[in-house]
Amino acid sequence: MPDKRPRGYQPQWHPRPGTVELLAAVDQVLARFAAQLPLTIRQAWYALVSDGVMAKEERAYKRLVEVLGMARRSGRIPWEAVRDDTEISTEPAAYASSEDFHEALLAAAGDFRLDRQAGQPVRLETWSETAGMVPQLAAVAGPFGVPVYSGSGFNGLLAKRGAALRAAASGHREVRIFVVSDWDPSGVHLFSALAQDVTAFAAVDAPDTRIVFERLAVTEQQIADHQLPTAATKATDHRSFAGTSTTQAEALPPDVLASVLRAAIGAHRDLDVLAALLEREAEQRTALLRQIQAMGPATGEIG
């Protein structure tokens, strides 16, 4: 039997009245969090739950997945407003001509940055259990030179050993790792297992560096302060858990999460050191641009 689900663009889509109302509510959510786009579908769902538009039920979430799919296929909602996190790709570098390559060099020089954590008393990292939240976190952390890693590596030995090796290579006496994960047995266990394993690797690879793990979100205080939607702990999960209910990290409003991360980074930054580094960075960027502009592209087409 052929699959009759929509494929490709759907410009003729005419949503039902109830769906039109839902899309209007989605528009408000996207406008509210315009600075944090793209949102994951689950983040949008939690915002709609908090707004009283949708029920906190898995069938409601599945409906939103379908509606947002059609809304993007039809052009009703911009593609770039919602993040799917299902694509992993790699593309080989290629250029149409030497002029194209020269323009790429100029663009790269325009993006030139020094290590903005150099000279800081503490080196920082951010780890997110949910891969879809990485771009939002990176938008806050990036200007400070703080890297953000996705939770897909939380259970990977290479990722955890890599954190210890980075600590050793940084030259800092202290590395602080902010963690964003769900408030449930899995998220709490993930946090403790990550901290224990990285610390054990660092005892050998970075013995002179102190590694500190800080749970940035979600916390019980944040759940109470922002009245986040909760669910009962799964009866099948027997891991120790001090909480009385569970909450996913995506339930925390994106703007609140951004503020939490910005404050956490700011608490460990020497702004005078950063300002001096940014000044040197700008000078070196200007010098690079002048050098590349003076070189000019090679003559003739490549290939």
Side-chain angles (χ1 to χ4, degrees), residues 11 13 31 61 78 84-85 88 109 128 148-149 155 229 232 245 267-268 282 290:
W13 183 52
Y61 173 71
D84 285 330
D85 290 309
I88 298 176
S128 171
V148 182
Y149 301 96
N155 293 319
S245 59
H268 298 281
R290 287 174 177 168

Side-chain angles (χ1 to χ4, degrees), residues 45-269:
W45 178 54
Y46 274 117
L48 293 168
V49 170
S50 296
D51 291 346
V53 175
M54 300 194 82
K56 190 178 180 298
E57 300 173 349
E58 195 61 22
R59 62 180 180 179
Y61 173 71
K62 290 180 179 179
R63 181 194 174 206
L64 183 63
V65 170
E66 294 178 358
V67 168
L68 289 184
M70 288 299 296
R72 285 179 289 168
R73 288 177 184 274
S74 67
R76 172 63 177 72
I77 288 178
W79 286 96
E80 60 273 13
V82 180
R83 186 176 175 88
D84 285 330
D85 290 309
T86 56
E87 180 183 35
I88 298 176
S89 62
T90 178
E91 297 182 14
Y95 305 94
S97 65
S98 59
E99 289 84 359
D100 186 28
F101 178 68
H102 187 253
E103 289 299 319
L105 285 179
L106 286 172
D111 291 333
F112 171 79
R113 285 171 54 155
L114 294 173
D115 178 4
R116 295 184 179 181
Q117 296 206 64
Q120 293 293 339
V122 179
R123 192 163 190 89
L124 304 176
E125 291 187 4
T126 301
W127 289 52
S128 171
E129 181 180 1
T130 303
M133 297 165 67
V134 168
Q136 299 164 16
L137 296 169
V140 176
F144 295 94
V146 177
V148 182
Y149 301 96
S150 76
S152 58
F154 274 26
N155 293 319
L157 286 177
L158 287 177
K160 290 185 281 191
R161 179 173 178 264
L165 294 176
R166 286 194 300 274
S170 73
H172 284 74
R173 298 300 299 272
E174 180 178 325
V175 172
R176 181 171 291 263
I177 299 178
F178 301 127
V179 177
V180 177
S181 66
D182 297 339
W183 179 251
D184 58 14
S186 176
V188 171
H189 175 75
L190 178 151
F191 176 84
S192 61
L194 176 66
Q196 292 167 8
D197 222 359
V198 172
T199 301
F201 280 123
V204 176
D205 295 322
D208 297 325
T209 303
R210 175 173 177 256
I211 299 184
V212 179
F213 282 80
E214 179 178 339
R215 185 181 185 84
L216 207 62
V218 176
T219 66
E220 285 190 297
Q221 189 63 52
Q222 291 166 350
I223 294 171
D225 290 346
H226 302 286
Q227 299 182 326
L228 303 182
T230 60
T233 305
K234 293 181 180 178
T236 55
D237 196 331
H238 302 295
R239 285 172 290 191
S240 60
F241 179 57
T244 57
S245 59
T246 68
T247 300
Q248 291 189 315
E250 288 166 300
L252 191 65
D255 55 346
V256 173
L257 179 59
S259 296
V260 169
L261 177 58
R262 188 175 295 108
I265 293 174
H268 298 281
R269 295 298 81 176

